Amino acid sequence: MALSGWSIDVEAARSVVTTTKGHFDKIDQLKVDSQGGITDAITATDNLEIGEALSTTNNEYLSVMIGSAEAIGDNICLKMNEAISHYVEGDRRQAEDAQASTAAIPDKDPEADKSNPQARPTPEDQQ
């Protein structure tokens, strides 16, 4: 039973989430490609200091940013699927909660269980 006041094409919504998830899944390959590129650059420089700088940049910035983007994408898709399911089940409150949590920032650890990332409250939640 759909919720009154909401009009969602469920199959279209699920298709959008599936397509979006597919795009976010490509981030994993980007991580592999970037790490390979960094490794190739370190080898090509044949300079210890430059190699250490490249490695540090990869470890402390690039891989963290890519992992965070992947975790955020997974969280968005997970929560939107929950919102759609609650809509179908007719649970307005849970649908609204799931939809609102798509903006939550996933746990700082991008390698945390991506099937159920822990969300930190947003600044708006702390007011």
Side-chain angles (χ1 to χ4, degrees):
M1 169 178 121
L3 299 171
S4 62
W6 288 33
S7 179
I8 298 173
D9 180 338
V10 173
E11 292 310 311
R14 285 185 173 148
S15 176
V16 168
V17 173
T18 299
T19 300
T20 302
K21 176 79 170 111
H23 291 300
F24 276 112
D25 287 345
K26 292 176 185 176
I27 292 175
D28 195 46
Q29 185 60 47
L30 176 62
K31 188 179 352 179
V32 170
D33 293 346
S34 68
Q35 288 172 345
I38 294 289
T39 300
D40 291 348
I42 290 170
T43 302
T45 64
D46 196 28
N47 180 295
L48 182 62
E49 291 82 12
I50 293 173
E52 287 178 6
L54 288 169
S55 180
T56 299
T57 299
N58 180 58
N59 295 337
E60 294 182 11
Y61 179 73
L62 185 59
S63 64
V64 172
M65 295 302 290
I66 292 172
S68 294
E70 188 175 24
I72 288 168
D74 286 345
N75 187 60
I76 289 168
C77 294
L78 173 73
K79 296 302 181 177
M80 285 309 299
N81 273 325
E82 286 179 13
I84 293 166
S85 293
H86 293 307
Y87 166 79
V88 169
E89 294 166 7
D91 191 332
R92 178 183 208 96
R93 176 75 175 139
Q94 284 191 324
E96 290 171 348
D97 288 348
Q99 183 181 22
S101 67
T102 61
I105 300 168
D107 191 298
K108 190 175 179 179
D109 178 8
E111 295 306 314
D113 181 5
K114 293 177 185 171
S115 65
N116 190 12
Q118 301 297 312
R120 294 187 310 227
T122 62
E124 294 82 26
D125 295 334
Q126 296 174 353
Q127 293 178 353

